[in-house]
Amino acid sequence: DSGVTQTPKHLITATGQRVTLRCSPRSGDLSVYWYQQSLDQGLQFLIQYYNGEERAKGNILERFSAQQFPDLHSELNLSSLELGDSALYFCANSLAGGLGEQYFGPGTRLTVT
Amino acid sequence: EDQVTQSPEALRLQEGESSSLNCSYTVSGLRGLFWYRQDPGKGPEFLFTLYSAGEEKEKERLKATLTKKESFLHITAPKPEDSATYLCAVQASSSNTGKLIFGQGTTLQVKP
């Protein structure tokens, strides 16, 4: 158990809808990363927040956004969902904002029908 | 462009049959290389971090090594419970953030 929690575990929704995924960090970890894992793309970095501020963006669509709150939990918002957005979404935490291992949560499986 | 390639894509071993997984990387500057284990439907579980060529790390039946172009994950006398997908990832100097660039993974099946 990494100590990182994600809710919900599963989410089924329709195209065009909006969902929010939640990540609660390990105690003391200031950085949160969001990754998307699909069968054809593997694990892809989406976005990083460090102590409430956006630090880096990866292949994140404009329909997706994230934030990190003062208590360091984070949310990933996905809107105008398309079938291709179906994937596993993971958050990961690390103590610092740069070099070092990341600890992953159990993921949220999103299915868009 | 920073890139990570893992081989083979899939590997079937008999229990006790040792082997190695390969991770080749092309990055502007390697800051760190990471190995993770992922079970189906679960989040990646951290195994090792390697920072410089020549470095080695061991944990139970697993040993990770690093050269300037690749890393190997050696599995000695594997057991069925070692069956999983093993992921390699790098942090590159081209980014001053901690984002991980992952390979596609090697799916290992160990038969009793």
Side-chain angles (χ1 to χ4, degrees), chain B residues 1-78:
Chain B
E1 183 185 349
D2 299 326
Q3 199 167 355
V4 178
T5 303
Q6 292 187 245
S7 61
E9 285 187 19
L11 183 61
R12 286 185 179 181
L13 299 173
Q14 288 295 128
E15 184 172 2
E17 180 187 2
S18 301
S19 187
S20 296
L21 282 53
N22 176 264
C23 170
S24 298
Y25 59 90
T26 305
V27 294
S28 53
L30 180 70
R31 298 175 68 211
L33 185 140
F34 304 83
W35 282 99
Y36 286 84
R37 169 193 170 127
Q38 186 176 26
D39 292 300
K42 303 272 182 80
E45 175 191 346
F46 170 73
L47 294 174
F48 302 110
T49 307
L50 301 166
Y51 291 110
S52 56
E55 192 175 356
E56 298 182 352
K57 294 271 180 75
E58 280 189 74
K59 180 181 178 180
E60 295 180 355
R61 295 177 293 282
L62 301 177
K63 179 180 175 180
T65 61
L66 181 65
T67 72
K68 288 188 177 179
K69 292 185 178 180
E70 58 192 348
S71 176
F72 292 93
L73 185 65
H74 307 279
I75 303 177
T76 302

Side-chain angles (χ1 to χ4, degrees), chain A residues 35 37 48 90 99-102, chain B residues 36 38 43 49 91 97-98 100:
Chain A
Y35 294 86
Q37 187 176 40
Q48 177 198 1
F90 293 103
L99 185 63
E101 57 266 18
Q102 296 172 20
Chain B
Y36 286 84
Q38 186 176 26
T49 307
Q91 284 177 338
T97 76
L100 292 172

